Amino acid sequence: MYIEQVEGELYQLKKEGQSIGSFRLIQLAGGAGKLEQLQVKDHISPGRILELFEIIQSYVEETGFSELHVESHSDTLDFLLQHQQFKRKDVEKRLWIYEINHN
C-alpha cells in the first residue's frame, strides 16, 4: 500500500494501483498536520485499518510534519489511536495527537 497526493490536501491510499481510500491532510500552524475525512472501501478489514494508519503516520514523518492530529468519532477509533501511540489532548473535542520524533 502507498499514498498518492491527488491535489492540494487530498490524498489517495492505493494498493496495486487501485484506490482503496482517501483522506485530507490539512497543514496546521507549527508544522502539524490534521487527518480528516478518512474513507476506505467497504472490503477493508479492521486489521488493514491499523496498517493504513501506520502508512499515514510514516508518510507524515517522511514529509516533515511535527505532529498528526485526529478528531475521533467513536470509542473504536479511540482504541485504535491509542494503540498507534496517539495521545488524547482534548477530551471534549476528542482530539488525539501523534507526536513525531525527528532525530
Side-chain angles (χ1 to χ4, degrees):
M1 279 192 276
Y2 61 96
I3 293 173
E4 186 176 284
Q5 186 172 8
V6 178
E7 62 180 56
E9 301 169 336
L10 182 61
Y11 295 81
Q12 282 192 339
L13 294 156
K14 291 192 164 188
K15 181 177 181 181
E16 299 172 2
Q18 298 293 317
S19 176
I20 58 168
S22 64
F23 64 93
R24 292 197 172 276
L25 184 58
I26 312 300
Q27 178 80 41
L28 302 176
K34 182 176 182 187
L35 178 65
E36 293 186 346
Q37 300 174 358
L38 175 61
Q39 299 176 344
V40 293
K41 304 263 182 190
D42 292 340
H43 65 275
I44 301 296
S45 69
R48 286 279 190 217
I49 299 295
L50 282 174
E51 188 177 353
L52 292 177
F53 265 92
E54 288 172 5
I55 290 168
I56 292 168
Q57 286 171 271
S58 293
Y59 182 82
V60 296
E61 279 186 52
E62 291 168 10
T63 53
F65 284 93
S66 60
E67 297 178 338
L68 179 59
H69 296 214
V70 175
E71 287 182 19
S72 177
H73 53 76
S74 70
D75 292 338
T76 304
L77 182 55
D78 286 351
F79 179 76
L80 179 124
L81 293 170
Q82 187 175 10
H83 177 71
Q84 290 300 117
Q85 313 306 306
F86 281 76
K87 293 181 174 57
R88 187 190 308 250
K89 295 293 181 179
D90 188 320
V91 174
E92 283 185 28
K93 292 182 183 177
R94 296 185 82 157
L95 175 65
W96 291 77
I97 296 178
Y98 174 69
E99 295 176 1
I100 298 163
N101 184 9
H102 295 285
N103 293 330

